[in-house]
Amino acid sequence: MRKKKIEKELLLCILILNLGFLLPLIHRKSPIKDWIIVYLFNAVTNGIIDKVLTKNKIIKYPNRLFPKIFDTHILFDFFLYPTFTIVYNQMTAKDKAFGIIYKLFVITIPVFLIEFLAERKTNLVEWTRKWRWYHTFVSIIIKSLLTRLFIALIRRADAKMKN
């Protein structure tokens, strides 16, 4: 019981820290609308993907925020990972392919390690036999690239409309 309380307090602390970090991050570099689009695209698709994974009992979140309302890990889906995605997109806004891939690994390895340690050391996430560490790692990489591609297509369409 004590461990569960500590994990809940940890989740709330991480949420507060993330919110304090997120707002200045969005305003740090222009264009702000791009970072809001990146954030919303990432959060919505995370929620959908995680809902499918939890509904099919591939991933479980025994200790999470608002357990009576959400089956998914809303802190990771709607706050932590979208924040990392904004950082990644800001870092690679003007990069070529090599810089995009290199920085992708720099930013996703810490995100993956956080989830890996959470699965091993806490009761925050449980992977079933259908899910292994490499599924998480590859899915974070693919999802980050898709978000990067999405905002690049939005920028390209926006530039065409201005011409």
Side-chain angles (χ1 to χ4, degrees):
M1 189 65 167
R2 173 116 170 95
K3 185 176 180 180
K4 186 174 183 173
K5 184 179 180 199
I6 291 171
E7 288 177 356
K8 286 276 189 190
E9 289 172 356
L10 175 67
L11 290 175
L12 287 172
C13 184
I14 291 170
L15 174 62
I16 291 167
L17 287 171
N18 189 77
L19 289 174
F21 183 70
L22 179 63
L23 295 175
L25 182 67
I26 289 176
H27 291 290
R28 188 179 88 175
K29 291 184 178 180
S30 292
I32 292 171
K33 71 173 173 53
D34 286 4
W35 312 136
I36 292 172
I37 291 169
V38 165
Y39 184 88
L40 291 174
F41 176 80
N42 193 276
V44 168
T45 55
N46 288 345
I48 293 168
I49 292 166
D50 212 8
K51 185 70 176 171
V52 169
L53 292 173
T54 55
K55 190 171 182 118
N56 290 312
K57 297 180 174 62
I58 295 171
I59 296 176
K60 298 177 194 171
Y61 303 104
N63 198 358
R64 60 192 180 277
L65 294 176
F66 311 113
K68 293 181 181 173
I69 301 170
F70 296 99
D71 294 337
T72 62
H73 198 304
I74 62 166
L75 180 58
F76 184 80
D77 291 343
F78 299 122
F79 295 101
L80 294 177
Y81 185 49
T83 302
F84 277 101
T85 304
I86 291 172
V87 171
Y88 169 65
N89 278 276
Q90 286 180 348
M91 288 171 52
T92 63
K94 297 181 179 168
D95 287 350
K96 302 285 184 211
F98 177 78
I100 290 169
I101 300 297
Y102 171 75
K103 290 176 183 175
L104 175 65
F105 283 96
V106 168
I107 201 82
T108 56
I109 288 174
V111 175
F112 163 72
L113 289 175
I114 290 167
E115 185 169 338
F116 183 77
L117 290 172
E119 197 276 333
R120 297 288 171 158
K121 304 287 184 188
T122 70
N123 203 25
L124 297 174
V125 61
E126 289 178 11
W127 299 333
T128 64
R129 292 182 183 187
K130 298 177 187 176
W131 195 264
R132 299 283 184 253
W133 67 267
Y134 49 86
H135 292 116
T136 296
F137 187 65
V138 169
S139 65
I140 289 173
I141 288 174
I142 291 171
K143 182 74 172 33
S144 297
L145 283 173
L146 287 175
T147 304
R148 176 73 172 74
L149 176 64
F150 179 74
I151 195 62
L153 293 173
I154 296 278
R155 286 180 183 141
R156 185 173 292 156
D158 189 42
K160 284 183 181 181
M161 290 178 78
K162 288 180 180 178
N163 291 333

